[in-house]
Amino acid sequence: MIISTPRSIVPRRLAVLVSGRGSNLQSIIDAIDRGALDATIAVVISNRADAAALLRAREAGIEAIWLNPRDYPDRDAYDRAIVEHLKARDVGLVCLAGFMRLVGTPLLEAFQDRVLNIHPSLLPAFPGLDAQRQALEHGVRVSGATVHLVTADLDGGPIVLQSAVRVLDDDTVDTLSARILVEEHKIYPEAIRLVLDGGWHLKGRRFKKST
Ligand code: GRF
């Protein structure tokens, strides 16, 4: 059993990696604005030029960068470029928020236990794409949202926070996704705060408050 030492994350400077709509990015921006999260978003990086999240960031006065994967020979080179941008901006914690790419070794090694992701199911159920559709098709009565530390195992890292959502008989992918999204927007800023504040350690897979 590997027990890591408790740590707080300094500096409280975030990078948010996005690919699309950016509603989770917005929930982080809003939490910071209303004083619920003591952090700064140093940069937003997208792998897609047309991500609405880039506009949201710029509207909030946050630096927003499109890094085109086609400009790099392979995934590791792309990840190394991201790491350079993060180091140059003194980022302490990386938040994936709808970032539709696998994160590879260069980023995970440079930011060990300092990369978070949000996923729209109660992991370990329904990892990967279309989690809400998977949940509906499986017929579960409860699904939800999970914030976890990112490891090489897809959607498989230690769980920081979860929130459950009841599945209704007449739910569609859209209605279920909408209710899960409400929970995502609550737990992501809260999980970021928990991780930044420190006083936690990993005991095996378990994210635990240190006593
Ligand atoms: C969210 O459902 C998140 O859980 C998943 O991708 C979606 C991103 O939505 N990883 P948004 O771009 O934050 O609005």
Side-chain angles (χ1 to χ4, degrees), residues 18-26 53 56 96-100 117-121 132 145-146 177 180-181 184-185:
V18 296
S19 299
R21 171 178 66 175
S23 71
N24 278 288
L25 165 67
Q26 191 67 54
R56 290 186 194 257
L96 310 184
F99 187 58
M100 300 300 286
N117 182 42
I118 181 131
H119 184 78
S121 74
Q132 302 94 330
T146 303
S177 300
I180 290 175
L181 198 60
E184 293 186 37
H185 296 165

Side-chain angles (χ1 to χ4, degrees), residues 122-148:
L122 291 179
L123 290 170
F126 315 125
L129 292 175
D130 288 329
Q132 302 94 330
R133 181 181 302 282
Q134 291 185 56
L136 273 183
E137 286 177 356
H138 193 92
V140 292
R141 310 307 309 199
V142 177
S143 191
T146 303
V147 179
H148 63 92

Side-chain angles (χ1 to χ4, degrees), residues 5 12 17 47 99 116 124 141 167:
T5 40
R12 297 172 76 96
L17 273 50
N47 63 320
F99 187 58
L116 283 174
R141 310 307 309 199
V167 179

Side-chain angles (χ1 to χ4, degrees), residues 7 9 13-17 79 82-83 86 91-97 99 101-118 147-153 156-160 188 191-192 195-196 200 202 207:
R7 66 199 97 182
I9 290 182
R13 289 172 62 76
L14 312 178
V16 185
L17 273 50
D79 280 18
I82 293 180
V83 169
L86 305 187
V91 164
L93 182 66
V94 182
C95 305
L96 310 184
F99 187 58
R101 279 179 70 86
L102 290 175
V103 169
T105 316
L107 183 56
L108 294 179
E109 281 183 352
F111 287 87
Q112 201 199 344
D113 296 337
R114 289 188 296 147
V115 183
L116 283 174
N117 182 42
I118 181 131
V147 179
H148 63 92
L149 291 169
V150 176
T151 61
D153 181 16
I159 290 169
V160 179
Y188 209 1
I192 292 168
V195 170
L196 287 177
W200 55 270
L202 296 176
F207 178 94

Side-chain angles (χ1 to χ4, degrees), residues 157-176:
I159 290 169
V160 179
L161 273 185
Q162 291 186 300
S163 182
V165 169
R166 199 176 298 279
V167 179
L168 306 177
D169 284 342
D170 57 356
D171 259 332
T172 63
V173 173
D174 284 348
T175 60
L176 178 59

